[in-house]
């Protein structure tokens, strides 16, 4: 049998963008986003002819008109105050109180956001679910959605696919919560720390540029501190193991007691701050300052938990179900695991002890990774 490793690791393009999008005042469009599988700004009653250029006076007039239409709906739709639907009626010499709304926001959502970009949509309360979605296609000026509160005044929108996650707002760190509580309509996320937190909730393990992220769940209802400490110890061990592998000193590493191996090879500069949330299910995640380490840690966790045969793992194949193509990261991970297990085949007692320790820690905490091992019959079977 040939072992197949599915790291389920998202490889993210370096120019990938993240936007926090607030679903209207009071989060009133939260359910509309879900119902229409789309996202939009609060700009009813208009239709862009192309990706909007906010410096174009015609676009600015449309946004002025949309502001009037939205205000009319919010005011109860009095017939006597029904706004004009002709953009020629919205020319002004001085913006003043009639300035168009959402100029920069329109550019962010309808121009800058590209297919694959991540949209973070906070819910109405601290315990509400944070929606995570990806833009699925380029801006289509003909695509508009019907929203009950705006009747026949349809809203320009972007199609999205929602990622199946169940993270509540309180599960995020304070920095991310502050972004989600900011009342600005749409915010571009630029800070790397914030990126990591949103990526780990959206994708679990990931690679972005020259960094990677590790994410594991702990699912037992009651978790003892020692058991959680054991899990964290083992992830550190695999990180140190990777350092030894790349230094050409893995044979020395497997000849050492586990604590001694960590003390000698663990490199703090390669690991970022760890985030831990212990509930049912809980999780812990951390950014790695190397694109390959997160995948290596997840792979070794899975191999040790299942007590995989080192000999069988020397011919392991990596098939990443998350990406549509084989990436350089997948090939590097495959080579690293094969090289590691070739050394481990000569350290059976060390590997057996490690597997027992890993399985006990995994059983006690209900440890789960997105990575998994499957068997594949060889051509001779």
């Amino acid at each position: 049998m040939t072992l197949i490793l599915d790291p389920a690791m998202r490889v993210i393009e370096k120019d990938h963008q993240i936007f926090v999008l607030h679903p209207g005042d009071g989060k009133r469009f939260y359910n509309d986003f879900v119902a229409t599988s789309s996202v939009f700004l609060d700009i009813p009653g208009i239709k862009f002819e192309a990706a909007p250029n906010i410096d174009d006076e015609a676009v600015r007039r449309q946004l002025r008109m949309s502001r009037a239409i939205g205000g009319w709906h919010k005011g109860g739709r009095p017939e006597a105050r029904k706004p004009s639907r002709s953009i020629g009626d919205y020319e002004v010499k001085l913006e003043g109180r009639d300035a168009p709304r959402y100029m920069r926001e329109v550019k962010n959502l309808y121009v800058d956001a590209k297919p694959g970009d991540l949209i973070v949509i906070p819910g109405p309360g601290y315990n509400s679910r944070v929606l995570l979605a990806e833009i699925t296609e380029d801006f289509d000026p003909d695509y508009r959605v019907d929203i009950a509160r705006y009747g026949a005044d349809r809203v320009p929108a972007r199609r999205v696919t929602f990622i199946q996650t169940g993270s509540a707002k309180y599960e995020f760190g304070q920095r991310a919560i502050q972004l989600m509580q900011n009342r600005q309509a749409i915010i571009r996320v630029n800070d790397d720390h914030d990126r990591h937190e949103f990526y780990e909730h959206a994708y679990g393990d990931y690679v972005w540029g020259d960094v990677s992220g590790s994410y594991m769940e702990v699912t037992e209802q009651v978790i003892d501190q020692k058991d959680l400490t054991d899990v964290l110890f083992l992830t550190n061990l695999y990180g140190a193991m990777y350092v030894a592998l790349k230094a050409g000193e893995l044979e020395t590493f497997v000849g050492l007691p586990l604590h001694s191996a960590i003390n000698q090879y663990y490199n703090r500069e390669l690991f970022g701050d760890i985030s831990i949330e212990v509930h049912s299910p809980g999780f812990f995640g951390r950014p790695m300052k190397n694109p390959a380490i997160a995948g290596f840690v997840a792979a070794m966790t899975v191999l040790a938990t299942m007590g995989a045969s080192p000999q069988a793992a020397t011919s392991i194949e990596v098939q990443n179900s998350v990406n549509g193509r084989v990436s350089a990261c997948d090939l590097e991970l495959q080579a690293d695991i094969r090289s590691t297990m070739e050394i481990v085949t000569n350290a059976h007692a060390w590997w057996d002890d490690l597997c027992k320790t890993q399985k006990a820690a995994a059983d006690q905490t209900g440890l789960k990774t997105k990575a998994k091992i499957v068997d594949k019959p060889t051509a001779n079977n």
Side-chain angles (χ1 to χ4, degrees):
M1 304 288 285
T2 299
L3 289 179
I4 304 296
L5 169 68
D6 176 9
M9 173 173 284
R10 178 67 177 266
V11 179
I12 303 168
E13 297 296 332
K14 187 61 179 174
D15 62 351
H16 187 262
Q17 300 176 103
I18 304 175
F19 298 93
V20 176
L21 176 64
H22 293 270
D25 293 339
K27 307 297 188 288
R28 59 186 173 189
F29 299 126
Y30 182 86
N31 292 327
D32 293 317
F33 285 178
V34 176
T36 61
S37 293
S38 67
V39 293
F40 49 84
L41 295 175
D42 189 3
I43 49 173
I46 61 175
K47 179 182 183 299
F48 298 122
E49 297 304 319
N53 176 2
I54 60 174
D55 293 324
D56 185 342
E57 177 57 23
V59 171
R60 299 170 75 90
R61 290 181 188 179
Q62 281 196 305
L63 293 176
R64 292 187 197 105
M65 182 174 72
S66 176
R67 182 175 184 176
I69 291 172
W72 176 69
H73 281 282
K74 293 167 190 173
R77 306 175 190 173
E79 188 63 30
R81 296 176 56 191
K82 188 173 183 179
S84 167
R85 275 15 183 219
S86 172
I87 66 170
D89 294 333
Y90 292 91
E91 178 181 4
V92 295
K93 294 181 179 180
L94 296 175
E95 297 287 9
R97 61 179 296 177
D98 294 320
R101 297 182 67 193
Y102 303 129
M103 298 291 287
R104 181 177 58 185
E105 292 84 349
V106 163
K107 182 177 184 299
N108 281 340
L109 184 61
Y110 296 101
V111 180
D112 295 345
K114 65 182 187 303
D117 285 347
L118 182 65
I119 307 295
V120 180
I121 305 162
Y126 199 62
N127 295 320
S128 63
R129 180 185 173 199
V130 176
L131 303 177
L132 299 169
E134 291 180 328
I135 299 288
T136 59
E137 61 186 21
D138 292 328
F139 174 66
D140 178 2
D142 292 325
Y143 181 65
R144 296 183 295 164
V145 293
D146 293 303
I147 304 301
R149 71 178 59 247
Y150 288 138
D153 288 311
R154 305 172 73 192
V155 183
R158 299 293 304 271
R159 293 185 178 92
V160 298
T161 297
F162 285 98
I163 299 170
Q164 298 302 311
T165 62
S167 299
K169 189 185 296 182
Y170 69 81
E171 296 177 36
F172 290 79
Q174 190 60 39
R175 290 166 57 93
I177 290 175
Q178 287 175 352
L179 284 173
M180 290 188 284
Q181 290 180 332
N182 188 307
R183 298 186 66 180
Q184 187 174 329
I186 184 169
I187 302 169
R188 189 192 300 263
V189 177
N190 292 314
D191 184 85
D192 286 353
H193 177 87
D194 299 330
R195 276 181 173 272
H196 163 71
E197 182 149 19
F198 290 126
Y199 281 154
E200 74 177 7
H201 280 276
Y203 306 126
D205 292 348
Y206 69 89
V207 176
W208 178 64
D210 57 358
V211 301
S212 58
S214 175
Y215 181 91
M216 298 184 188
E217 288 187 334
V218 286
T219 61
E220 283 297 309
Q221 292 286 341
V222 178
I223 298 175
D224 185 83
Q225 182 177 356
K226 178 187 178 300
D227 297 325
L228 181 60
T229 300
D230 288 344
V231 170
L232 298 175
F233 168 81
L234 290 165
T235 62
N236 288 336
L237 178 74
Y238 302 137
M241 194 175 191
Y242 177 85
V243 173
L245 171 68
K246 293 305 179 180
E249 299 178 16
L250 192 55
E251 289 188 26
T252 300
F253 183 92
V254 300
L256 296 171
L258 301 185
H259 284 86
S260 297
I262 283 186
N263 290 337
Q264 185 166 333
Y265 288 98
Y266 183 78
N267 184 348
R268 288 178 172 81
E269 294 183 357
L270 294 178
F271 293 86
D273 296 337
I274 191 167
S275 55
I276 302 176
E277 180 68 41
V278 180
H279 55 284
S280 183
F283 69 89
F284 63 93
R286 69 197 307 187
M288 313 287 191
K289 300 172 185 177
N290 178 294
I293 294 183
F296 185 87
V297 169
M300 294 305 300
T301 299
V302 173
L303 287 167
T305 300
M306 69 177 291
S309 161
Q311 184 62 44
T314 59
S315 59
I316 197 168
E317 295 180 10
V318 171
Q319 296 180 6
N320 194 342
S321 62
V322 173
N323 294 315
R325 58 182 176 81
V326 178
S327 71
C329 297
D330 298 331
L331 296 176
E332 181 178 356
L333 177 60
Q334 178 175 286
D336 287 344
I337 296 301
R338 288 181 175 185
S339 298
T340 297
M341 300 314 287
E342 285 175 2
I343 301 298
V344 171
T345 55
N346 298 317
H348 281 287
W350 183 90
W351 177 248
D352 290 344
D353 287 343
L354 176 61
C355 290
K356 290 177 184 177
T357 303
Q358 178 67 66
K359 189 175 189 308
D363 288 345
Q364 291 296 327
T365 60
L367 184 68
K368 291 185 178 180
T369 66
K370 291 184 179 293
K372 59 182 179 293
I373 296 289
V374 296
D375 288 323
K376 171 186 172 183
T378 62
N380 295 327
N381 288 345

